[in-house]
Amino acid sequence: QVQLVESGGGLVQTGGSLRLSCAASGRTFSNYAMGWFRQAPGKEREFVAAISWSGRSTYYADFVRGRFTISRDNAQNTVSLQMNSLKPEDTAVYYCAATVTAISRAARQNEYWGQGTQVTVSS
């Protein structure tokens, strides 16, 4: 089992920045690919970004490319999402995910999830 706890959400104005963090515990963190997803009210959970176990490969949804950056620190068992140039449409609950293979853009195919952190971007 892997336990994931997100933090760093909050209220920010359009154009602002937030940094989300996800702390992992349980099994060996460096064995897992990590990702961020988000879910807005009335919408399905959608892929935002992913990072390989080594940190050498990163992947982004088109709608965040150039604005968000995913990173990980295997020594600290954390994965982060730096979000810049935030827009009202980025408002959602953001979830951290882990899987032993590669993060799937299909949310249901990922193994472990955190409880989520709310990000609200005001216009």
Side-chain angles (χ1 to χ4, degrees):
Q1 290 287 337
V2 175
Q3 292 78 43
L4 303 172
V5 179
E6 301 96 334
S7 61
L11 174 64
V12 65
Q13 292 185 336
T14 296
S17 298
L18 281 174
R19 185 176 181 86
L20 305 183
S21 292
C22 174
S25 61
R27 296 189 176 178
T28 305
F29 178 71
S30 59
N31 287 347
Y32 289 83
M34 302 296 297
W36 288 94
F37 289 73
R38 69 186 188 186
Q39 188 166 17
K43 295 189 176 182
E44 292 189 354
R45 193 169 298 188
E46 63 180 356
F47 170 79
V48 174
I51 189 166
S52 63
W53 66 269
S54 66
R56 285 195 289 265
S57 298
T58 57
Y59 311 88
Y60 296 94
D62 288 344
F63 54 77
V64 302
R65 197 180 308 274
R67 299 189 297 126
F68 292 8
T69 303
I70 189 171
S71 60
R72 68 187 295 161
D73 184 339
N74 285 346
Q76 297 294 324
N77 289 358
T78 58
V79 61
S80 299
L81 185 69
Q82 177 66 43
M83 305 187 296
N84 299 328
S85 303
L86 283 162
K87 306 174 182 179
E89 51 264 44
D90 294 319
T91 295
V93 177
Y94 283 70
Y95 296 91
C96 178
T99 186
V100 74
T101 53
I103 289 291
S104 170
R105 296 187 183 224
R108 291 188 181 90
Q109 296 183 11
N110 296 291
E111 296 179 81
Y112 301 104
W113 293 92
Q115 82 290 348
T117 186
Q118 176 71 47
V119 171
T120 303
V121 185
S122 63
S123 56

